[in-house]
């Protein structure tokens, strides 16, 4: 090959390279996302960092072991209350509840905080007949836009009155990992992991872990060496040594449960759109055990108002025991496995996340 041929070939190669670079540049400019296409999220509706346990997907290295959760006699919802405070509202003192049952608004021990809330806000007391002692975990986003104050069981019996609930301390930052909170059976968040309004009725997937409550007498394990909890929980119920009766050392407060990737919606014969949504959330993110349901019931934590909008769309309650949806929820719980290698260094089990991480917070 002579020198002229070599030079000609090189000129052609350079020309081709210039053409390719130009095409790539044009395509890049044409397909660059606009600001309206960049996905972000609202901190109040979808709180905490993208690598928070509440937002971290299950990973490809997740190690699944059997949870052996059986069908329960009941399905319940654990209502949670979330508020963005307004400094224009009057400050009201917070007291510890007088009792766990009826009479919560009789407490006199100050929690040494005041919250600005509208005088019209009422959160009813527990009742004896019927017996109803809701957890009422709650979170208040303060006026600084970052501090979350968490109480349980939130109660306010009269307009313009005091507020009642034990205060989780320290307060946490909504931009942080969001682990701690007023689910005092585990020390886990009031707001992280809660099914929010719209999430079961819109056409978008649930993009975070869930929270569940299991019957501790049947399922949760306790010994002196495994005292009823694991990360991210930092405690068990104060009656754990006497009541917890589970046989599986891996199933405690703070356990991450998830549906293995080999299971499909048709495997579980899921037909309702809501059950399919919950299935995908449980498979992609899982659910943390955060409290004791205290009876033969599987409970799911939801924001106050979720059940009402669910009923309006579907014609029945989330905790309806008579119908197709109840059976589907039971099959979902029975399909749950324990992600046994969930820990601070491998949240969700580590490896490649099943789905994309949560987008940046916009506000």
């Amino acid at each position: 090959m002579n020198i002229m041929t070599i030079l000609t070939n090189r000129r052609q190669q350079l020309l081709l390279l210039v053409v390719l670079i130009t095409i790539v540049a044009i395509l890049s400019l044409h397909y660059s996302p606009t600001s309206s296409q960049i996905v972000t999220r609202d901190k109040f509706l979808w709180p905490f960092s993208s690598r928070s346990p509440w937002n971290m997907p299950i990973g490809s290295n997740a190690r699944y072991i059997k949870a052996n959760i059986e069908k329960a006699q009941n399905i319940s919802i654990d209502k949670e209350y979330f508020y963005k405070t307004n400094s224009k509202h009057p400050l009201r003192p917070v007291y510890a509840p007088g009792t766990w049952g009826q009479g919560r608004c009789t407490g006199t021990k100050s929690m040494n905080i005041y919250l600005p809330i509208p005088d019209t806000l009422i959160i009813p007391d527990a009742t004896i007949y019927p017996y109803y002692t809701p957890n009422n975990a709650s979170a208040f986003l303060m006026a600084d836009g970052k501090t979350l104050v968490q109480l349980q069981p939130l109660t306010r019996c009269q307009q313009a009155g005091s507020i009642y609930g034990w205060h989780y301390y320290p307060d946490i930052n909504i931009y942080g990992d969001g682990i701690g909170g007023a689910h005092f059976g585990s020390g886990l968040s009031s707001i992280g992991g809660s099914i929010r309004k719209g999430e079961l009725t819109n056409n978008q997937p649930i993009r975070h872990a869930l929270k569940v409550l299991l019957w501790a007498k049947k399922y949760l394990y306790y010994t002196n060496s495994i005292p009823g909890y694991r990360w991210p929980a930092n405690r068990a119920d104060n009656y754990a040594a006497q009541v917890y009766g589970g046989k599986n050392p891996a199933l405690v407060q703070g356990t991450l449960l998830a549906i293995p990737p080999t299971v499909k919606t048709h495997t579980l014969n899921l037909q309702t759109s809501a059950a399919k949504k919950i299935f995908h959330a449980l498979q992609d993110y899982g659910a943390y055990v955060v409290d004791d349901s205290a009876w033969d019931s599987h409970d799911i934590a939801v924001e106050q108002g979720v059940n009402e909008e669910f009923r309006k769309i579907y014609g029945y309650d989330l905790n309806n025991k008579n119908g197709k949806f109840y059976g589907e929820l039971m099959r979902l719980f029975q399909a749950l496995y324990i992600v046994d290698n969930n820990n601070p260094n491998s949240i969700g089990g580590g490896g490649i996340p099943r789905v994309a991480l949560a987008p940046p917070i916009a506000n």
Side-chain angles (χ1 to χ4, degrees):
M1 183 179 293
N2 61 41
I3 188 66
M4 293 304 295
T5 302
I6 294 173
L7 290 174
T8 300
N9 288 342
R10 286 183 176 174
R11 279 197 296 270
Q12 290 174 341
Q13 291 170 355
L14 286 171
L15 180 61
L16 179 60
L17 181 60
V18 170
V19 171
L20 288 173
I21 291 172
T22 303
I23 292 172
V24 170
I26 292 171
L27 289 174
S28 297
L29 288 171
H30 183 72
Y31 288 107
S32 293
T34 64
S35 58
S36 63
Q37 293 172 319
I38 296 173
V39 179
T40 57
R41 57 190 167 107
D42 181 281
K43 64 188 176 188
F44 186 69
L45 300 177
W46 190 355
F48 307 127
S49 70
S50 61
R51 295 188 178 274
S52 159
W54 305 114
N55 292 326
M56 194 68 184
I58 302 296
S60 58
N61 292 337
R63 185 170 67 247
Y64 298 89
I65 64 173
K66 289 184 177 180
N68 296 318
I69 297 173
E70 300 174 347
K71 181 179 179 179
Q73 291 296 314
N74 300 280
I75 185 74
S76 301
I77 54 174
D78 194 44
K79 293 182 184 179
E80 301 176 320
Y81 296 80
F82 311 132
Y83 302 99
K84 286 191 283 188
T85 62
N86 186 329
S87 58
K88 295 181 180 179
H89 289 142
L91 287 170
R92 300 301 181 194
V94 179
Y95 294 95
T99 180
W100 179 251
Q102 190 175 61
R104 291 177 174 182
C105 293
T106 62
T108 57
K109 180 181 178 181
S110 174
M111 292 286 96
N112 298 313
I113 57 169
Y114 290 76
L115 291 175
I117 60 172
D119 281 341
T120 54
L121 179 66
I122 295 290
I123 308 295
D125 195 2
T127 57
I128 299 175
Y129 302 107
Y131 184 74
Y132 184 57
T133 56
N135 286 319
N136 287 4
S138 62
F140 296 80
L141 180 61
M142 303 307 288
D144 64 5
K146 61 182 181 180
T147 302
L148 282 170
V149 173
Q150 300 178 82
L151 307 176
Q152 188 200 61
L154 178 65
T155 313
R156 195 197 203 187
C157 299
Q158 62 183 31
Q159 292 188 3
S162 299
I163 308 159
Y164 296 86
W166 286 290
H167 177 209
Y168 174 83
Y169 189 82
D171 297 330
I172 67 169
N173 191 315
I174 200 167
Y175 297 100
D177 61 24
I179 291 176
H183 270 284
F184 288 118
S186 62
L188 291 174
S189 177
S190 299
I191 188 170
S194 184
I195 294 178
R196 305 299 294 271
K197 285 182 283 191
E199 287 188 327
L200 287 178
T201 55
N202 64 24
N203 61 359
Q204 298 297 313
I206 297 172
R207 296 188 177 98
H208 57 78
L210 306 184
K211 290 184 298 201
V212 295
L213 294 75
L214 299 177
W215 191 16
K217 183 178 180 179
K218 182 174 183 178
Y219 292 110
L220 301 190
Y221 186 85
Y222 182 95
T223 62
N224 289 335
S225 59
I226 303 176
Y229 67 93
R230 62 189 294 176
W231 186 90
N234 66 5
R235 71 192 74 178
D237 290 287
N238 57 12
Y239 52 77
Q242 293 76 40
V243 173
Y244 286 17
K247 305 302 181 186
N248 188 339
L251 186 50
V252 291
Q253 299 286 5
T255 291
L256 176 60
L257 301 166
I259 295 176
T262 54
V263 182
K264 310 299 179 185
T265 54
H266 64 82
T267 310
L268 301 178
N269 190 27
L270 303 180
Q271 298 177 28
T272 65
S273 58
K276 291 177 182 178
K277 268 199 172 197
I278 295 172
F279 168 88
H280 288 296
L282 291 173
Q283 192 167 72
D284 291 340
Y285 295 93
Y288 285 94
V289 180
V290 298
D291 252 321
D292 177 11
S293 67
W295 65 320
D296 190 11
S297 177
H298 299 329
D299 297 2
I300 302 174
V302 304
E303 180 182 12
Q304 164 65 14
V306 165
N307 191 49
E308 289 75 10
E309 68 176 11
F310 185 88
R311 185 193 309 122
K312 184 176 180 180
I313 296 294
Y314 297 111
Y316 52 88
D317 288 340
L318 272 167
N319 54 350
N320 187 332
K321 294 193 300 180
N322 303 308
K324 180 192 301 182
F325 186 62
Y326 166 74
E328 291 178 330
L329 287 178
M330 288 300 110
R331 292 196 291 277
L332 287 173
F333 272 92
Q334 289 172 291
L336 289 169
Y337 276 60
I338 295 165
V339 180
D340 200 36
N341 60 336
N342 180 57
N343 62 63
N345 298 316
S346 60
I347 301 175
I352 301 170
R354 282 185 54 84
V355 292
L357 298 185
I361 291 174
N363 53 351

